[in-house]
Every structure is written in structure tokens, then in C-alpha cells.
Amino acid sequence: MISDVLSTIAISFLVLYAIWMIVANLPRRGRSRTSLTQADREGVVIYWRPGCKYCMRLRTRLRFTRLQYVEVNIWRDAEAAAFVRSVAGGNETVPTVTVAGNAMVNPSKSQLLEAVEMHASRLPPSARGEDLI
């Protein structure tokens, strides 16, 4: 009886964890309206890879802002992976973020928003993430 309850709890936990992993790794819709080169020079680009818990954490926290950014999966874009290696000492350390061309490796949400204020202040307030939902 107790083992049935424990196995039900374990299966429920695994199902919820699998759903969380799938949802956290989905790209945000409507976030890639600008080209990558334009976003790299003027806006925010987040280089990430599936399964990275640090990427999931940053991307999840950014879902509660109005910050406009482009997401690039480095496992699907060889040039992006090479760029990440060039700014991360030869490693594919993600998340790597560029704000108006200035690269940051594994920034926190607050570090990213501060960099946006400093380097991309010409973006409209909603694009800078100032207006929280």
C-alpha cells in the first residue's frame, strides 16, 4: 500500500519534471523579429543550449520582463558556438549574452538588465525590460 503511494508520487514527480524541462527549453515566441546581426549590434542576444540549467534559469526569469531579445541555440548554429567559444575562453559556456555587442558569460538577470541600461539605453522602455508584467 505504502509502496503504491510512493511509486505514484515518484511517477508524478518525473512527469512534472519532464514537462518542466520541455517548457523551459522552448524558445519564446515573437522574440526573434530582428535579424541576429542587427540584434547583436543593437539589442540583446542570448546564446543557449538545451538542457543547460543556467540557461533555463535565466530564460525563465526573463519571461517575467518585457525585454526583447533573440535566442540562439548554439547546438544548431555552428557560428554561434564559435562566437561563444571566442568570448568564453575556448569553452561553450552558456548562457552567453550580448548587449549591443558587449558579451557577458553566465550573467544573472539583474546583471543583464543593468547592462541593457548601460549599453542599450536607446531601446524603448518596454524593450529594455523596465515594464514588468
Side-chain angles (χ1 to χ4, degrees), residues 28 30-31 33 44 62-69 113 116-117 120-133:
R28 293 178 75 176
R31 293 296 179 170
R33 295 194 177 161
V44 178
L62 290 177
R63 288 185 193 273
F64 298 105
T65 69
R66 294 184 185 263
L67 180 66
Q68 294 179 3
Y69 56 89
L113 294 178
V116 168
E117 277 301 309
S121 58
R122 67 185 170 281
L123 293 175
S126 62
R128 290 195 306 255
E130 291 179 355
D131 300 329
L132 297 177
I133 296 175

Side-chain angles (χ1 to χ4, degrees), residues 4-67:
D4 290 339
V5 171
L6 290 177
S7 63
T8 303
I9 291 171
I11 290 171
S12 300
F13 174 77
L14 289 175
V15 168
L16 289 173
Y17 182 73
I19 291 170
W20 168 254
M21 291 296 288
I22 290 168
V23 170
N25 279 303
L26 291 174
R28 293 178 75 176
R29 290 185 297 170
R31 293 296 179 170
S32 59
R33 295 194 177 161
T34 59
S35 71
L36 179 59
T37 52
Q38 180 184 4
D40 193 38
R41 285 190 315 261
E42 301 171 3
V44 178
V45 180
I46 298 178
Y47 298 91
W48 68 286
R49 66 172 172 79
C52 170
K53 65 181 179 180
Y54 303 106
C55 298
M56 286 187 277
R57 183 182 332 166
L58 179 63
R59 293 170 64 219
T60 301
R61 289 180 179 168
L62 290 177
R63 288 185 193 273
F64 298 105
T65 69
R66 294 184 185 263
L67 180 66

